[in-house]
Structures are given as C-alpha cells and as structure tokens.
Amino acid sequence: MKARLLAIQLLLIVSLGISAQKHEFGNWKRYSKANSELGAPAKGEKRVVLMGNSITDGWPGTRPEFFKENNLIGRGIGGQTSYQFLLRFREDVINLQPKVVVINYGTNDIAENTGPYDEDLTFGNVCSMVELARYHKIKVILTSCLPAGGFGWRPSITDAMQKVRSLNERVKAYAQENKIPYVDYFSALVTEDGTEMNPKYAKDKPGIHPNADGYKVMEGLLLPVIQKVRGK
C-alpha cells in the first residue's frame, strides 16, 4: 500500500513538473510587467508591435532610437520558435491592441530549438498568427527569415540556407496571395555568393544576428512599409 501511495505521489510530482514546463514554454512572464504597465493605446495612438526571436529581441537594445522615434514595441524573445510565438501572441500582441504587428520568424525553427524542423508546421504557425491578427483588426507585415549559413549551437544542420530560402519563398507567396506587405531582409543581408549573412552586417559567425549596421539596413526596408500601413 505504501509503495502504491509513493508511486502515485511521484506521478503527481512529475505531472506537475511537466505542466510547469509547458506553462513556461511560452515565457509569458518575460513581458507581463511591461505589458501591464503599457495599458491600452491612447486615443489616436497607432501602436506597432514587433514579434520575433533574438533578432527582434536585440533590436531595441542595439538601436533604441529607432523604436523610440517611431513608437515601436519590441516583443522578441531569444531562442524562441514560431510555436512559442503563437502561444504568447495573445498576451504580447493582441492584448496590446496595436494598429500593426510585424512578424519575423523561422530562424530557430530551422535550428530545431524546439524539435525537428517541419516547414509545413512553421508555415502554419505564421498563417495562424496572421489570421488571429486580422480577426482582431490588427494589420500585418510579414518579414523574411534572415540569411543563416549555419548555427553555432546546432552544427549538425548543414542545409540551413536551403531551408531559409524555401520558407521565405512560401511565406512571400502567401503574403502576395493575401495582400499582406512583405519585407525582404534576406536579399539585403545575404553575401553575393548567397551562402550566408554578409559579415559586415553580422555580429556573430556564422552570421545569425545583425549588428548595428545590419539593423540599419533592416530599418530602411521596414520603416516605409510601417508608415504606409499605419497611416491607412
């Protein structure tokens, strides 16, 4: 009897541990305080949220003036995949009531941060975020996955650029079919031989994360689109 009770207790402990891990999978706590303090948009405010991974996460710290001058809100979390974006999309996008959401995705999916890469599933996550945003009358800007010649933390993946190109082509076609603005960071940041991110725009090797110059290139492409979409 004691052994049976012990087994049940252990099962409960394991179950609770799994539940906690699943809850933390989305990392809602990262921006919970900031979201609460932000509150609803002021009258006439045309709020823009940038959703993404470490590329988006590092942007406000590297180029804070870009966010302050253009009333942009960064909601990037390093290491996350599109599965995690979708989980926290309500808390970090919908509930903030933005006029526009800019979605960048894909790098960590391809790097298999949360499991084997499946382009269909990643593409489906992007589509789901778009559909959620549109249902809540939030305008969407989709952006390309950045060049990634490889991943220092996942050297076993040797076909990253092929996967990046395939995902970008698919999302671009989806954007065109659904009249969604699409910003092509990839073409502006890739090397001439098309094998990786241009080192002059990367702060690491192989290039995954943009440096300040890389972000400036991205800003030059993104800001006119934001201004056009936000102004409507």
Side-chain angles (χ1 to χ4, degrees), residues 79-136:
Q80 283 202 342
T81 64
S82 63
Y83 303 91
Q84 292 161 306
F85 297 174
L86 189 54
L87 276 177
R88 64 185 179 89
F89 200 77
R90 180 171 298 278
E91 295 299 318
D92 288 345
V93 179
I94 295 170
N95 289 351
L96 301 185
Q97 302 174 50
K99 178 83 170 179
V100 182
V101 62
V102 180
I103 307 174
N104 185 252
Y105 51 84
T107 301
N108 292 322
D109 294 54
I110 294 169
E112 301 187 350
N113 280 18
T114 53
Y117 176 60
D118 186 319
E119 184 183 287
D120 290 340
L121 294 180
T122 296
F123 176 71
N125 292 337
V126 174
C127 294
S128 293
M129 286 187 281
V130 170
E131 290 163 4
L132 281 167
R134 285 185 152 185
Y135 179 81
H136 289 276

Short mmCIF file of all heavy atoms in Angstrom, two decimals, residues 79-136:
data_model
loop_
_atom_site.label_atom_id
_atom_site.label_comp_id
_atom_site.label_asym_id
_atom_site.label_seq_id
_atom_site.Cartn_x
_atom_site.Cartn_y
_atom_site.Cartn_z
N GLY A 79 15.85 32.77 -28.76
CA GLY A 79 15.76 31.32 -28.77
C GLY A 79 14.42 30.76 -29.14
O GLY A 79 14.29 29.55 -29.38
N GLN A 80 13.39 31.61 -29.21
CA GLN A 80 12.04 31.08 -29.43
C GLN A 80 11.78 30.73 -30.89
O GLN A 80 12.35 31.28 -31.82
CB GLN A 80 10.99 32.08 -28.94
CG GLN A 80 10.83 32.09 -27.44
CD GLN A 80 9.49 32.64 -27.00
OE1 GLN A 80 8.77 33.32 -27.75
NE2 GLN A 80 9.14 32.37 -25.75
N THR A 81 10.84 29.80 -31.04
CA THR A 81 10.38 29.36 -32.36
C THR A 81 8.96 29.88 -32.60
O THR A 81 8.32 30.44 -31.71
CB THR A 81 10.38 27.83 -32.46
OG1 THR A 81 9.43 27.30 -31.52
CG2 THR A 81 11.76 27.26 -32.16
N SER A 82 8.46 29.64 -33.80
CA SER A 82 7.11 30.10 -34.14
C SER A 82 6.04 29.44 -33.27
O SER A 82 4.96 30.01 -33.07
CB SER A 82 6.82 29.82 -35.62
OG SER A 82 6.84 28.44 -35.89
N TYR A 83 6.33 28.26 -32.75
CA TYR A 83 5.37 27.59 -31.86
C TYR A 83 5.18 28.42 -30.59
O TYR A 83 4.07 28.57 -30.08
CB TYR A 83 5.89 26.20 -31.48
CG TYR A 83 6.16 25.31 -32.65
CD1 TYR A 83 7.42 25.27 -33.26
CD2 TYR A 83 5.16 24.49 -33.19
CE1 TYR A 83 7.66 24.46 -34.36
CE2 TYR A 83 5.40 23.67 -34.28
CZ TYR A 83 6.66 23.66 -34.86
OH TYR A 83 6.90 22.86 -35.94
N GLN A 84 6.26 28.98 -30.09
CA GLN A 84 6.22 29.80 -28.88
C GLN A 84 5.61 31.17 -29.17
O GLN A 84 4.88 31.72 -28.34
CB GLN A 84 7.62 29.91 -28.28
CG GLN A 84 8.12 28.58 -27.74
CD GLN A 84 9.62 28.52 -27.57
OE1 GLN A 84 10.37 28.78 -28.51
NE2 GLN A 84 10.07 28.19 -26.37
N PHE A 85 5.88 31.71 -30.35
CA PHE A 85 5.24 32.98 -30.75
C PHE A 85 3.73 32.83 -30.69
O PHE A 85 3.02 33.70 -30.20
CB PHE A 85 5.61 33.37 -32.19
CG PHE A 85 7.05 33.64 -32.46
CD1 PHE A 85 7.46 33.88 -33.75
CD2 PHE A 85 8.00 33.67 -31.45
CE1 PHE A 85 8.79 34.13 -34.05
CE2 PHE A 85 9.33 33.93 -31.74
CZ PHE A 85 9.72 34.16 -33.03
N LEU A 86 3.25 31.73 -31.26
CA LEU A 86 1.81 31.51 -31.34
C LEU A 86 1.19 31.40 -29.95
O LEU A 86 0.10 31.91 -29.71
CB LEU A 86 1.54 30.25 -32.17
CG LEU A 86 0.09 29.95 -32.55
CD1 LEU A 86 -0.56 31.13 -33.26
CD2 LEU A 86 0.03 28.71 -33.44
N LEU A 87 1.89 30.77 -29.04
CA LEU A 87 1.39 30.63 -27.68
C LEU A 87 1.23 31.98 -26.98
O LEU A 87 0.28 32.20 -26.24
CB LEU A 87 2.33 29.75 -26.85
CG LEU A 87 2.17 28.24 -26.95
CD1 LEU A 87 3.25 27.55 -26.13
CD2 LEU A 87 0.79 27.80 -26.46
N ARG A 88 2.18 32.87 -27.20
CA ARG A 88 2.15 34.16 -26.49
C ARG A 88 1.59 35.30 -27.36
O ARG A 88 1.63 36.46 -26.96
CB ARG A 88 3.53 34.52 -25.96
CG ARG A 88 4.62 34.76 -27.00
CD ARG A 88 5.97 35.00 -26.33
NE ARG A 88 7.05 35.19 -27.29
CZ ARG A 88 7.41 36.37 -27.81
NH1 ARG A 88 6.78 37.47 -27.44
NH2 ARG A 88 8.41 36.45 -28.68
N PHE A 89 1.03 34.97 -28.49
CA PHE A 89 0.56 36.00 -29.41
C PHE A 89 -0.55 36.84 -28.80
O PHE A 89 -0.62 38.05 -29.03
CB PHE A 89 0.08 35.36 -30.72
CG PHE A 89 0.03 36.30 -31.88
CD1 PHE A 89 1.18 36.68 -32.54
CD2 PHE A 89 -1.18 36.83 -32.31
CE1 PHE A 89 1.14 37.56 -33.62
CE2 PHE A 89 -1.24 37.71 -33.38
CZ PHE A 89 -0.08 38.08 -34.04
N ARG A 90 -1.42 36.23 -28.01
CA ARG A 90 -2.49 37.00 -27.39
C ARG A 90 -1.93 37.98 -26.35
O ARG A 90 -2.28 39.16 -26.35
CB ARG A 90 -3.51 36.07 -26.72
CG ARG A 90 -4.66 36.82 -26.06
CD ARG A 90 -5.75 35.86 -25.61
NE ARG A 90 -6.32 35.17 -26.75
CZ ARG A 90 -7.27 35.67 -27.56
NH1 ARG A 90 -7.74 36.90 -27.32
NH2 ARG A 90 -7.73 34.98 -28.57
N GLU A 91 -1.05 37.49 -25.49
CA GLU A 91 -0.52 38.33 -24.42
C GLU A 91 0.38 39.45 -24.95
O GLU A 91 0.32 40.59 -24.48
CB GLU A 91 0.28 37.47 -23.42
CG GLU A 91 -0.57 36.47 -22.66
CD GLU A 91 -1.65 37.13 -21.82
OE1 GLU A 91 -1.34 38.17 -21.19
OE2 GLU A 91 -2.78 36.63 -21.80
N ASP A 92 1.22 39.12 -25.92
CA ASP A 92 2.24 40.07 -26.35
C ASP A 92 1.87 40.85 -27.61
O ASP A 92 2.62 41.75 -28.01
CB ASP A 92 3.57 39.34 -26.58
CG ASP A 92 4.21 38.91 -25.27
OD1 ASP A 92 3.80 39.42 -24.21
OD2 ASP A 92 5.13 38.06 -25.29
N VAL A 93 0.75 40.52 -28.22
CA VAL A 93 0.30 41.28 -29.40
C VAL A 93 -1.17 41.70 -29.26
O VAL A 93 -1.47 42.88 -29.10
CB VAL A 93 0.51 40.48 -30.71
CG1 VAL A 93 0.01 41.30 -31.91
CG2 VAL A 93 1.99 40.13 -30.91
N ILE A 94 -2.06 40.75 -29.30
CA ILE A 94 -3.50 41.08 -29.36
C ILE A 94 -3.93 41.97 -28.20
O ILE A 94 -4.62 42.98 -28.40
CB ILE A 94 -4.34 39.78 -29.38
CG1 ILE A 94 -4.08 39.01 -30.68
CG2 ILE A 94 -5.82 40.11 -29.24
CD1 ILE A 94 -4.66 37.61 -30.69
N ASN A 95 -3.53 41.61 -26.99
CA ASN A 95 -3.96 42.38 -25.82
C ASN A 95 -3.39 43.79 -25.75
O ASN A 95 -3.89 44.63 -25.01
CB ASN A 95 -3.62 41.62 -24.53
CG ASN A 95 -4.49 40.39 -24.33
OD1 ASN A 95 -5.47 40.18 -25.07
ND2 ASN A 95 -4.15 39.57 -23.35
N LEU A 96 -2.35 44.05 -26.53
CA LEU A 96 -1.77 45.39 -26.57
C LEU A 96 -2.51 46.31 -27.54
O LEU A 96 -2.23 47.50 -27.59
CB LEU A 96 -0.29 45.31 -26.96
CG LEU A 96 0.61 44.47 -26.04
CD1 LEU A 96 2.06 44.58 -26.49
CD2 LEU A 96 0.47 44.88 -24.59
N GLN A 97 -3.42 45.73 -28.31
CA GLN A 97 -4.28 46.48 -29.24
C GLN A 97 -3.48 47.35 -30.23
O GLN A 97 -3.74 48.56 -30.38
CB GLN A 97 -5.26 47.36 -28.46
CG GLN A 97 -6.15 46.59 -27.51
CD GLN A 97 -7.01 47.51 -26.66
OE1 GLN A 97 -7.67 48.40 -27.20
NE2 GLN A 97 -6.98 47.32 -25.35
N PRO A 98 -2.49 46.76 -30.88
CA PRO A 98 -1.72 47.57 -31.83
C PRO A 98 -2.49 47.82 -33.12
O PRO A 98 -3.44 47.10 -33.45
CB PRO A 98 -0.49 46.70 -32.09
CG PRO A 98 -1.02 45.30 -31.96
CD PRO A 98 -2.02 45.37 -30.83
N LYS A 99 -2.06 48.80 -33.84
CA LYS A 99 -2.58 49.04 -35.19
C LYS A 99 -1.95 48.04 -36.16
O LYS A 99 -2.59 47.57 -37.10
CB LYS A 99 -2.23 50.47 -35.62
CG LYS A 99 -2.66 50.86 -37.01
CD LYS A 99 -4.08 51.30 -37.06
CE LYS A 99 -4.45 51.91 -38.39
NZ LYS A 99 -5.86 52.33 -38.45
N VAL A 100 -0.66 47.71 -35.90
CA VAL A 100 0.12 46.87 -36.81
C VAL A 100 0.98 45.89 -36.00
O VAL A 100 1.49 46.25 -34.94
CB VAL A 100 1.05 47.72 -37.70
CG1 VAL A 100 1.83 46.85 -38.69
CG2 VAL A 100 0.28 48.81 -38.43
N VAL A 101 1.14 44.68 -36.52
CA VAL A 101 2.13 43.75 -35.98
C VAL A 101 3.10 43.36 -37.10
O VAL A 101 2.68 43.11 -38.23
CB VAL A 101 1.48 42.49 -35.37
CG1 VAL A 101 0.70 41.68 -36.41
CG2 VAL A 101 2.55 41.60 -34.72
N VAL A 102 4.37 43.37 -36.78
CA VAL A 102 5.43 42.94 -37.71
C VAL A 102 5.94 41.60 -37.20
O VAL A 102 6.39 41.49 -36.06
CB VAL A 102 6.59 43.96 -37.75
CG1 VAL A 102 7.67 43.50 -38.72
CG2 VAL A 102 6.07 45.34 -38.13
N ILE A 103 5.87 40.59 -38.04
CA ILE A 103 6.23 39.23 -37.61
C ILE A 103 7.49 38.76 -38.32
O ILE A 103 7.55 38.72 -39.54
CB ILE A 103 5.08 38.23 -37.87
CG1 ILE A 103 3.77 38.74 -37.26
CG2 ILE A 103 5.44 36.86 -37.32
CD1 ILE A 103 2.56 37.88 -37.61
N ASN A 104 8.50 38.41 -37.52
CA ASN A 104 9.72 37.78 -38.04
C ASN A 104 9.87 36.42 -37.37
O ASN A 104 9.64 36.28 -36.17
CB ASN A 104 10.95 38.64 -37.77
CG ASN A 104 12.20 38.07 -38.40
OD1 ASN A 104 13.07 37.55 -37.70
ND2 ASN A 104 12.31 38.13 -39.71
N TYR A 105 10.24 35.41 -38.08
CA TYR A 105 10.07 34.02 -37.64
C TYR A 105 11.11 33.14 -38.34
O TYR A 105 11.85 33.60 -39.22
CB TYR A 105 8.66 33.53 -38.10
CG TYR A 105 8.49 33.83 -39.56
CD1 TYR A 105 8.98 32.97 -40.53
CD2 TYR A 105 8.00 35.07 -39.98
CE1 TYR A 105 8.95 33.30 -41.87
CE2 TYR A 105 7.97 35.41 -41.32
CZ TYR A 105 8.45 34.52 -42.26
OH TYR A 105 8.45 34.87 -43.58
N GLY A 106 11.17 31.89 -37.96
CA GLY A 106 11.84 30.88 -38.78
C GLY A 106 13.23 30.44 -38.39
O GLY A 106 13.56 29.26 -38.49
N THR A 107 14.08 31.37 -37.93
CA THR A 107 15.48 31.02 -37.67
C THR A 107 15.60 29.87 -36.68
O THR A 107 16.29 28.88 -36.93
CB THR A 107 16.24 32.25 -37.14
OG1 THR A 107 16.19 33.30 -38.11
CG2 THR A 107 17.69 31.90 -36.86
N ASN A 108 14.92 29.97 -35.56
CA ASN A 108 15.06 28.95 -34.52
C ASN A 108 14.25 27.69 -34.82
O ASN A 108 14.55 26.62 -34.28
CB ASN A 108 14.66 29.53 -33.16
CG ASN A 108 15.66 30.57 -32.68
OD1 ASN A 108 16.85 30.44 -32.88
ND2 ASN A 108 15.15 31.63 -32.07
N ASP A 109 13.23 27.82 -35.66
CA ASP A 109 12.53 26.63 -36.12
C ASP A 109 13.51 25.76 -36.92
O ASP A 109 13.63 24.55 -36.70
CB ASP A 109 11.34 26.99 -37.01
CG ASP A 109 10.23 27.71 -36.28
OD1 ASP A 109 10.54 28.74 -35.64
OD2 ASP A 109 9.07 27.28 -36.34
N ILE A 110 14.20 26.43 -37.86
CA ILE A 110 15.16 25.73 -38.72
C ILE A 110 16.32 25.19 -37.89
O ILE A 110 16.85 24.11 -38.18
CB ILE A 110 15.64 26.66 -39.84
CG1 ILE A 110 14.47 26.98 -40.78
CG2 ILE A 110 16.81 26.05 -40.62
CD1 ILE A 110 14.75 28.09 -41.78
N ALA A 111 16.69 25.91 -36.83
CA ALA A 111 17.76 25.45 -35.94
C ALA A 111 17.29 24.34 -34.99
O ALA A 111 18.08 23.83 -34.21
CB ALA A 111 18.29 26.62 -35.12
N GLU A 112 16.01 24.00 -35.07
CA GLU A 112 15.42 22.89 -34.29
C GLU A 112 15.51 23.14 -32.78
O GLU A 112 15.74 22.21 -32.00
CB GLU A 112 16.08 21.56 -34.68
CG GLU A 112 15.92 21.24 -36.16
CD GLU A 112 16.42 19.85 -36.55
OE1 GLU A 112 17.06 19.18 -35.71
OE2 GLU A 112 16.16 19.45 -37.70
N ASN A 113 15.26 24.38 -32.38
CA ASN A 113 15.33 24.71 -30.96
C ASN A 113 14.24 24.03 -30.13
O ASN A 113 14.41 23.82 -28.93
CB ASN A 113 15.23 26.22 -30.76
CG ASN A 113 16.55 26.93 -31.01
OD1 ASN A 113 17.45 26.38 -31.62
ND2 ASN A 113 16.66 28.15 -30.52
N THR A 114 13.10 23.74 -30.76
CA THR A 114 12.03 23.05 -30.02
C THR A 114 11.62 21.74 -30.68
O THR A 114 10.51 21.26 -30.50
CB THR A 114 10.79 23.96 -29.87
OG1 THR A 114 10.39 24.45 -31.17
CG2 THR A 114 11.07 25.13 -28.94
N GLY A 115 12.53 21.15 -31.45
CA GLY A 115 12.25 19.86 -32.07
C GLY A 115 12.57 19.88 -33.55
O GLY A 115 12.96 20.92 -34.11
N PRO A 116 12.42 18.75 -34.22
CA PRO A 116 12.73 18.64 -35.65
C PRO A 116 11.97 19.68 -36.48
O PRO A 116 10.80 19.97 -36.20
CB PRO A 116 12.28 17.21 -36.00
CG PRO A 116 12.34 16.47 -34.71
CD PRO A 116 11.96 17.46 -33.66
N TYR A 117 12.66 20.22 -37.46
CA TYR A 117 12.05 21.25 -38.30
C TYR A 117 11.07 20.64 -39.29
O TYR A 117 11.36 19.66 -39.97
CB TYR A 117 13.14 22.00 -39.07
CG TYR A 117 12.60 23.02 -40.05
CD1 TYR A 117 11.81 24.08 -39.59
CD2 TYR A 117 12.87 22.94 -41.41
CE1 TYR A 117 11.32 25.04 -40.47
CE2 TYR A 117 12.40 23.90 -42.30
CZ TYR A 117 11.61 24.93 -41.83
OH TYR A 117 11.13 25.88 -42.72
N ASP A 118 9.90 21.24 -39.37
CA ASP A 118 8.86 20.85 -40.32
C ASP A 118 8.34 22.13 -40.95
O ASP A 118 7.65 22.91 -40.29
CB ASP A 118 7.73 20.09 -39.61
CG ASP A 118 6.69 19.54 -40.57
OD1 ASP A 118 6.33 20.24 -41.53
OD2 ASP A 118 6.21 18.41 -40.34
N GLU A 119 8.67 22.36 -42.19
CA GLU A 119 8.30 23.62 -42.84
C GLU A 119 6.79 23.83 -42.84
O GLU A 119 6.30 24.95 -42.66
CB GLU A 119 8.82 23.66 -44.27
CG GLU A 119 8.54 24.99 -44.97
CD GLU A 119 8.98 25.02 -46.41
OE1 GLU A 119 10.20 25.08 -46.65
OE2 GLU A 119 8.10 25.00 -47.30
N ASP A 120 6.03 22.75 -43.05
CA ASP A 120 4.57 22.87 -43.07
C ASP A 120 4.04 23.42 -41.74
O ASP A 120 3.14 24.27 -41.72
CB ASP A 120 3.92 21.51 -43.35
CG ASP A 120 4.14 21.04 -44.77
OD1 ASP A 120 4.43 21.88 -45.64
OD2 ASP A 120 3.99 19.83 -45.02
N LEU A 121 4.60 22.93 -40.64
CA LEU A 121 4.14 23.38 -39.33
C LEU A 121 4.55 24.82 -39.05
O LEU A 121 3.76 25.61 -38.52
CB LEU A 121 4.67 22.45 -38.24
CG LEU A 121 4.15 21.01 -38.27
CD1 LEU A 121 4.76 20.19 -37.14
CD2 LEU A 121 2.62 20.97 -38.18
N THR A 122 5.77 25.17 -39.40
CA THR A 122 6.22 26.55 -39.22
C THR A 122 5.38 27.50 -40.06
O THR A 122 4.92 28.55 -39.58
CB THR A 122 7.71 26.70 -39.58
OG1 THR A 122 8.49 25.92 -38.67
CG2 THR A 122 8.16 28.15 -39.51
N PHE A 123 5.15 27.15 -41.30
CA PHE A 123 4.31 27.96 -42.18
C PHE A 123 2.90 28.09 -41.60
O PHE A 123 2.30 29.17 -41.60
CB PHE A 123 4.27 27.35 -43.57
CG PHE A 123 3.35 28.07 -44.52
CD1 PHE A 123 3.68 29.33 -45.01
CD2 PHE A 123 2.16 27.49 -44.93
CE1 PHE A 123 2.83 29.99 -45.89
CE2 PHE A 123 1.31 28.15 -45.80
CZ PHE A 123 1.64 29.41 -46.28
N GLY A 124 2.38 26.99 -41.08
CA GLY A 124 1.06 27.01 -40.47
C GLY A 124 1.00 27.94 -39.27
O GLY A 124 0.00 28.63 -39.05
N ASN A 125 2.08 27.98 -38.47
CA ASN A 125 2.12 28.89 -37.33
C ASN A 125 2.08 30.35 -37.77
O ASN A 125 1.42 31.19 -37.15
CB ASN A 125 3.38 28.64 -36.50
CG ASN A 125 3.37 27.30 -35.79
OD1 ASN A 125 2.31 26.73 -35.55
ND2 ASN A 125 4.54 26.79 -35.45
N VAL A 126 2.79 30.65 -38.85
CA VAL A 126 2.77 32.01 -39.40
C VAL A 126 1.35 32.36 -39.86
O VAL A 126 0.83 33.44 -39.55
CB VAL A 126 3.76 32.14 -40.57
CG1 VAL A 126 3.63 33.52 -41.24
CG2 VAL A 126 5.19 31.94 -40.08
N CYS A 127 0.73 31.44 -40.58
CA CYS A 127 -0.65 31.68 -41.05
C CYS A 127 -1.61 31.89 -39.89
O CYS A 127 -2.49 32.76 -39.94
CB CYS A 127 -1.13 30.50 -41.90
SG CYS A 127 -0.23 30.28 -43.45
N SER A 128 -1.44 31.12 -38.83
CA SER A 128 -2.32 31.25 -37.66
C SER A 128 -2.16 32.61 -37.00
O SER A 128 -3.15 33.23 -36.58
CB SER A 128 -2.03 30.13 -36.65
OG SER A 128 -2.39 28.87 -37.17
N MET A 129 -0.92 33.09 -36.89
CA MET A 129 -0.71 34.42 -36.32
C MET A 129 -1.35 35.50 -37.18
O MET A 129 -1.95 36.45 -36.66
CB MET A 129 0.79 34.68 -36.12
CG MET A 129 1.39 33.90 -34.96
SD MET A 129 3.11 34.35 -34.61
CE MET A 129 3.97 33.42 -35.89
N VAL A 130 -1.22 35.35 -38.49
CA VAL A 130 -1.85 36.31 -39.40
C VAL A 130 -3.36 36.31 -39.22
O VAL A 130 -4.00 37.37 -39.11
CB VAL A 130 -1.49 35.99 -40.87
CG1 VAL A 130 -2.33 36.84 -41.82
CG2 VAL A 130 -0.01 36.23 -41.13
N GLU A 131 -3.95 35.13 -39.16
CA GLU A 131 -5.40 35.02 -39.03
C GLU A 131 -5.89 35.59 -37.70
O GLU A 131 -6.93 36.26 -37.65
CB GLU A 131 -5.81 33.56 -39.19
CG GLU A 131 -5.64 33.06 -40.62
CD GLU A 131 -5.65 31.54 -40.74
OE1 GLU A 131 -5.87 30.86 -39.71
OE2 GLU A 131 -5.43 31.04 -41.86
N LEU A 132 -5.15 35.34 -36.63
CA LEU A 132 -5.51 35.90 -35.33
C LEU A 132 -5.45 37.43 -35.36
O LEU A 132 -6.34 38.11 -34.85
CB LEU A 132 -4.56 35.38 -34.24
CG LEU A 132 -4.83 33.97 -33.72
CD1 LEU A 132 -3.64 33.48 -32.89
CD2 LEU A 132 -6.10 33.95 -32.86
N ALA A 133 -4.38 37.94 -35.95
CA ALA A 133 -4.24 39.40 -36.03
C ALA A 133 -5.37 40.02 -36.83
O ALA A 133 -6.01 41.00 -36.39
CB ALA A 133 -2.89 39.76 -36.65
N ARG A 134 -5.66 39.46 -37.96
CA ARG A 134 -6.69 40.02 -38.83
C ARG A 134 -8.07 39.93 -38.17
O ARG A 134 -8.90 40.85 -38.32
CB ARG A 134 -6.69 39.29 -40.17
CG ARG A 134 -5.52 39.70 -41.06
CD ARG A 134 -5.59 39.07 -42.42
NE ARG A 134 -4.95 39.90 -43.43
CZ ARG A 134 -4.95 39.63 -44.74
NH1 ARG A 134 -5.56 38.56 -45.19
NH2 ARG A 134 -4.35 40.44 -45.59
N TYR A 135 -8.32 38.86 -37.44
CA TYR A 135 -9.60 38.73 -36.74
C TYR A 135 -9.79 39.87 -35.75
O TYR A 135 -10.89 40.37 -35.55
CB TYR A 135 -9.67 37.38 -36.01
CG TYR A 135 -10.95 37.18 -35.24
CD1 TYR A 135 -12.11 36.75 -35.89
CD2 TYR A 135 -11.01 37.44 -33.87
CE1 TYR A 135 -13.30 36.58 -35.18
CE2 TYR A 135 -12.19 37.27 -33.16
CZ TYR A 135 -13.33 36.84 -33.83
OH TYR A 135 -14.51 36.69 -33.12
N HIS A 136 -8.68 40.29 -35.14
CA HIS A 136 -8.72 41.38 -34.16
C HIS A 136 -8.42 42.75 -34.79
O HIS A 136 -8.10 43.69 -34.08
CB HIS A 136 -7.74 41.09 -33.03
CG HIS A 136 -8.19 39.96 -32.15
ND1 HIS A 136 -9.06 40.15 -31.10
CD2 HIS A 136 -7.90 38.63 -32.18
CE1 HIS A 136 -9.29 38.98 -30.51
NE2 HIS A 136 -8.61 38.05 -31.14
#
